Amino acid sequence: MEDRFKITDEELIQRFQAGEEEAFEEIVHRYANRLMNFAYRFVLDREEAEDIVQDTFLKVYQNRHAYREIAKFSTWIYTITGNLAKTILRKRRSRKLTYFSRMAPEEKEIDFPSTEHPPHDNLERQVEAQLIQKAVVNLPEHFRTVIILRDIQELSYEEISNIIAAPLGTVKSRINRARLRLQEELEQLRQK
C-alpha cells in the first residue's frame, strides 16, 4: 500500500469494499485508539470499551458494503461505536449494576502525558482530571455524547451533527448547554 497518510478514509473503505484486506487493517490502525478513547469515556470500563471497539470493527467488516459516501467514513464508524456504547449503558441501567466501583484505581484516572511538573502539580492535575471525568459521567447521555465528541474527540460540528442525527443549530446549542451543565457538575463536585 502506498503512503497510508495520502489515502483518505473514504478511499480506504472503497478499497476494502473492492476486496483489499490491507485497507481494513489500515482502518483498524487509524481508528483503534480513537474509538477506544471514545467508548471508554462512555462506559468507564476498559474491557467493555475494548469489546465495543472489537464489535465496531466486526460490524465495519461485515457491513462494509452498507457504507455509502454520503457521509464521512469517520461519522459512520463513530456512529456505530456510539450506538454500541449506548446499548451497553441501557443494559447496565436495566441490571442496575455499577461497574465504576469495581474498577481498579488506575482505571478511573485519565492519562495525561507527563510534562515533568513537580509531584504536587501532578497530584492536583490528577485530582482535577478525576473530577472532570466524574462530572462528564454525571451528565445526561445527550450532553455526555456531544461533550465527548467535541471537546475530547475534537470532531467538527458537522461530524457531530451527522453522528447524532441532529441539525447543526441543535448540535451547537446542545454543546453550549452541555458545557454549562458540566461547569455546574464540577462546581458541585468541588464543594463536596
Side-chain angles (χ1 to χ4, degrees):
M1 207 182 254
E2 64 265 20
D3 185 13
R4 64 186 192 206
F5 295 108
K6 293 180 182 175
I7 302 170
T8 67
D9 294 342
E10 290 72 22
E11 290 169 327
L12 274 175
I13 189 66
Q14 287 173 351
R15 288 179 176 197
F16 179 49
Q17 288 171 331
E20 193 177 312
E21 291 290 325
E22 297 84 32
F24 178 72
E25 292 171 18
E26 179 57 26
I27 289 168
V28 171
H29 176 76
R30 284 186 186 183
Y31 280 93
N33 289 336
R34 288 191 274 175
L35 295 178
M36 181 63 185
N37 186 17
F38 179 59
Y40 179 77
R41 304 242 178 217
F42 264 95
V43 297
L44 289 178
D45 182 286
R46 199 164 305 285
E47 287 180 19
E48 281 188 335
E50 287 171 357
D51 289 345
I52 290 167
V53 173
Q54 285 180 349
D55 288 348
T56 297
F57 288 125
L58 181 62
K59 286 188 180 298
V60 168
Y61 191 91
Q62 292 172 335
N63 300 302
R64 63 186 164 272
H65 297 294
Y67 172 77
R68 300 283 178 261
E69 205 170 330
I70 298 165
K72 289 180 69 174
F73 176 77
S74 61
T75 301
W76 188 60
I77 198 165
Y78 271 104
T79 301
I80 293 168
T81 305
N83 287 341
L84 290 169
K86 289 173 188 173
T87 299
I88 294 285
L89 291 175
R90 280 192 296 274
K91 285 180 182 176
R92 271 193 204 167
R93 278 193 291 268
S94 67
R95 291 190 314 239
K96 293 186 170 57
L97 295 176
T98 306
Y99 290 100
F100 192 74
S101 62
R102 289 191 345 208
M103 294 170 62
E106 67 273 4
E107 292 179 305
K108 295 179 187 175
E109 296 177 14
I110 298 174
D111 296 327
F112 285 102
S114 175
T115 53
E116 295 302 314
H117 289 349
H120 183 268
D121 286 354
N122 284 339
L123 180 61
E124 285 179 11
R125 259 202 255 128
Q126 286 179 351
V127 168
E128 185 66 15
Q130 287 174 341
L131 275 175
I132 292 169
Q133 183 65 40
K134 191 170 186 177
V136 169
V137 169
N138 289 343
L139 293 174
E141 188 176 294
H142 64 286
F143 285 157
R144 184 181 336 147
T145 302
V146 295
I147 284 287
I148 292 171
L149 290 172
R150 180 69 183 159
D151 295 337
I152 296 172
Q153 296 293 313
E154 299 179 343
L155 297 182
S156 71
Y157 291 113
E158 292 80 16
E159 289 174 302
I160 297 168
S161 172
N162 290 328
I163 289 169
I164 67 170
L168 198 56
T170 301
V171 168
K172 290 178 180 179
S173 170
R174 192 174 294 171
I175 289 170
N176 286 333
R177 291 192 338 261
R179 287 174 178 160
L180 291 172
R181 184 78 177 267
L182 183 61
Q183 285 178 329
E184 292 170 7
E185 286 288 334
L186 281 169
E187 287 172 18
Q188 289 177 3
L189 289 171
R190 287 182 182 123
Q191 291 172 2
K192 289 183 180 181

